[in-house]
Amino acid sequence: MSIKPWICNGSRTIVKDRWIDLHADDCALPDGTKISPFYVNDVPDFVVVVAVTVDGDFVFVRQYRHGTRQILLELPAGCMEPTDANPAAGAARELFEETGYAGSEPVFLCKVAPNAACISNFAHCYLIRDCKKVSSQHLDATEDLEIVVMSAEETKKLMAEGGLVQAVHVAAMYYAEKILNK
């Protein structure tokens, strides 16, 4: 049996602004079963950075996340910008803007779909080594981030205890671990 894609017989925009592009699709399975509405959110791709300093420490950010209503420890990350030449450039830009750190050329870790069932975007994850603080933060008006630098041992403990909860960030750390432990 081969898997076949659904048939989209139409789509209606529910809400569209700079943060969300939610539409209701009128879908049919290959056997004719109707699924309507099926909601899909088209949002931009984003980048996630595992940043390691020249001393072998890891650079994180702490910020409030309204979806979970929690202050979370995360990796530097953000949406791709139209001015980004490619995801690697976006990763370097986000690291610099959120933390003021810069380092070596980004090394590709993985491209993952955060929720392929109903969200269209991908996360492009990179490792940037030899990072140094070269500037102050350059935050957007809606950002309030605290920079947190942790040693490799503290980071290992953080991962073992589930202290990093953003699924894509956890995936990026595990991909980075494979490269860093060679």
Side-chain angles (χ1 to χ4, degrees):
M1 171 183 209
S2 68
I3 306 238
K4 296 180 179 151
W6 295 0
I7 300 160
C8 185
N9 295 311
S11 185
R12 175 174 54 92
T13 298
I14 304 300
V15 62
K16 182 175 183 170
D17 62 26
R18 70 182 220 171
W19 303 109
I20 190 171
D21 183 0
L22 182 68
H23 51 93
D25 291 348
D26 177 14
C27 297
L29 301 181
D31 70 1
T33 303
K34 301 283 184 197
I35 301 178
S36 183
F38 189 90
Y39 296 100
V40 176
N41 190 8
D42 285 323
V43 292
D45 283 6
F46 63 99
V47 293
V48 177
V49 181
V50 177
V52 182
T53 69
V54 292
D55 297 324
D57 296 332
F58 289 78
V59 181
F60 294 93
V61 295
R62 185 176 285 123
Q63 64 182 312
Y64 175 73
R65 289 302 194 183
H66 193 67
T68 59
R69 306 231 180 351
Q70 295 177 323
I71 297 171
L72 299 177
L73 188 67
E74 303 177 336
L75 295 169
C79 286
M80 293 285 300
E81 299 285 343
T83 56
D84 292 331
N86 54 51
R93 178 190 50 75
E94 279 295 333
L95 175 63
F96 177 75
E97 289 178 359
E98 291 193 352
T99 68
Y101 279 78
S104 61
E105 286 296 313
V107 174
F108 177 77
L109 294 173
C110 61
K111 176 182 174 183
V112 295
N115 186 351
C118 59
I119 299 177
S120 64
N121 68 346
F122 285 91
H124 305 265
C125 304
Y126 287 86
L127 170 66
I128 300 180
R129 294 187 241 196
D130 301 321
C131 293
K132 295 178 188 171
K133 182 91 168 161
V134 297
S135 175
S136 59
Q137 293 171 298
H138 300 275
L139 302 176
D140 295 337
T142 59
E143 291 179 310
D144 182 19
L145 306 176
E146 173 190 0
I147 301 165
V148 178
V149 179
M150 301 177 79
S151 70
E153 278 305 308
E154 291 169 321
T155 300
K156 185 176 180 179
K157 183 178 179 192
L158 173 80
M159 295 302 293
E161 294 176 353
L164 198 64
V165 299
Q166 285 265 27
V168 172
H169 298 212
V170 172
M173 287 297 292
Y174 280 109
Y175 275 94
E177 182 182 40
K178 290 179 181 184
I179 292 172
L180 294 170
N181 290 334
K182 280 186 179 179

